[in-house]
Amino acid sequence: MISYEFPLNERVRTMLRLEDLFFRISRFIESDESPDHHAALGVLFEILEVACRADLKSDLLQELERQKKALSALHNNPEILEDALDAVLGEIENASARLLGMSGKIGQHLRDDEWLMAIKQRACIPGGVCEFDLPSYHYWQHQSAELRRKNLDAWLAPMLPLRDGITILLKLLRENGKVHHFTAFHGSFQQMQGGRVAQMLRISLDVGLPCIPEVSANKYALNIRFVAASFAAKTALYDQDVAFDLTFCSLQ
């Protein structure tokens, strides 16, 4: 099976983007190769840009607190495992405490580093980080993998409370959804929402099917159009029946 997630509001869209960026930078940092550490630095700059929203931290804190209250109300519910519930509540409290401990504007420690900002500025230019443009960066790339990794970890560390908060919220979002089985006849599917509120849709289908879902949704209707998998600019409707699973994900 292959799954596609479609955020239905800006908050979830931002969280999914940051989740992907944090995943990629961790993989690049683990490597010992200089080109991978160069890629990690590029992803760090992307995280800085995506996380620059002034209300991101407060949004995460408010949502974590809302989830904490909703989950705390489940205590003494015979269908809920108390130990598992307490573990999730502990994770939420720890993530909230770390977010509260973030001082100043997100990523300000990076903006205050003139050397990093010079690299960021040159990185926007095709081929702009060649050794003759930034000889000090060329020197850094030839240092030991341990030193480069230590630097990257130090630059990333102040941003990790964002990752932890986002990880918890997306986990709760993904788990709080019911799977429905549908068929898109001749590649098209439509469903009236009837007031159903969702923050994210997950569509899962057989990875062997040569088609890709395109989603259009609002509070009144959901439209899914499966197009033929292609690497061309133009897309064509996949004119076959497509069996798929649809999950409406929403935080409590």
Side-chain angles (χ1 to χ4, degrees):
M1 299 290 283
I2 182 172
S3 295
Y4 300 84
E5 293 181 333
F6 295 90
L8 299 181
N9 60 45
E10 190 60 32
R11 177 188 292 174
V12 175
R13 187 174 293 111
T14 299
M15 289 197 296
L16 288 173
R17 283 181 173 146
L18 286 171
E19 178 190 51
D20 177 68
L21 291 171
F22 279 117
F23 173 79
R24 285 198 280 137
I25 195 173
S26 66
R27 290 302 179 93
F28 286 136
I29 290 177
E30 288 174 2
S31 170
D32 288 338
E33 299 300 321
S34 178
D36 289 330
H37 289 171
H38 168 69
L41 197 55
V43 177
L44 183 66
F45 295 148
E46 290 187 63
I47 292 173
L48 179 63
E49 292 299 319
V50 177
C52 69
R53 274 182 41 201
D55 58 348
L56 176 60
K57 177 182 169 182
S58 60
D59 273 358
L60 292 176
L61 282 168
Q62 288 175 9
E63 190 58 51
L64 285 168
E65 182 61 27
R66 196 170 73 84
Q67 292 306 307
K68 180 182 174 182
K69 291 180 178 178
L71 291 171
S72 295
L74 298 177
H75 275 302
N76 301 319
N77 187 322
E79 298 182 0
I80 302 296
L81 293 174
E82 291 287 327
D83 290 345
L85 179 59
D86 288 338
V88 174
L89 289 171
E91 291 178 3
I92 292 175
E93 290 177 358
N94 289 335
S96 296
R98 294 192 66 192
L99 280 169
L100 285 169
M102 294 178 70
S103 59
K105 189 175 181 180
I106 294 173
Q108 191 59 45
H109 68 291
L110 300 177
R111 297 185 183 90
D112 291 339
D113 190 316
E114 294 183 5
W115 185 73
L116 284 177
M117 289 301 98
I119 298 170
K120 182 176 183 294
Q121 185 177 22
R122 295 294 308 177
C124 297
I125 303 170
V129 292
C130 286
E131 59 187 83
F132 54 82
D133 290 308
L134 294 169
S136 65
Y137 183 51
H138 182 62
Y139 174 79
W140 180 81
Q141 289 180 297
H142 281 76
Q143 300 306 297
S144 68
E146 291 76 16
L147 175 63
R148 295 195 307 267
R149 188 178 297 109
K150 181 179 179 181
N151 291 154
L152 288 165
D153 285 337
W155 296 328
L156 179 63
M159 317 280 279
L160 293 181
L162 288 178
R163 181 200 63 184
D164 296 342
I166 287 168
T167 298
I168 291 172
L169 291 176
L170 287 179
K171 181 174 183 288
L172 293 172
L173 179 62
R174 289 171 174 133
E175 290 177 349
N176 191 28
K178 185 177 180 181
V179 180
H180 302 269
H181 307 284
F182 293 111
T183 298
F185 296 102
H186 300 290
S188 295
F189 175 82
Q190 184 179 59
Q191 182 182 70
M192 302 308 294
Q193 292 291 75
R196 187 201 308 263
V197 178
Q199 293 164 299
M200 185 177 75
L201 299 177
R202 184 190 299 117
I203 298 171
S204 302
L205 60 151
D206 190 321
V207 70
L209 288 172
C211 58
I212 301 165
E214 292 183 348
V215 172
S216 174
N218 55 39
K219 63 182 179 180
Y220 302 110
L222 165 66
N223 290 282
I224 301 175
R225 178 174 176 263
F226 288 90
V227 299
S230 169
F231 301 111
K234 293 184 178 180
T235 59
L237 183 67
Y238 182 72
D239 193 23
Q240 301 289 330
D241 292 350
V242 179
F244 66 98
D245 294 340
L246 175 63
T247 307
F248 294 87
C249 302
S250 181
L251 291 167
Q252 298 180 17

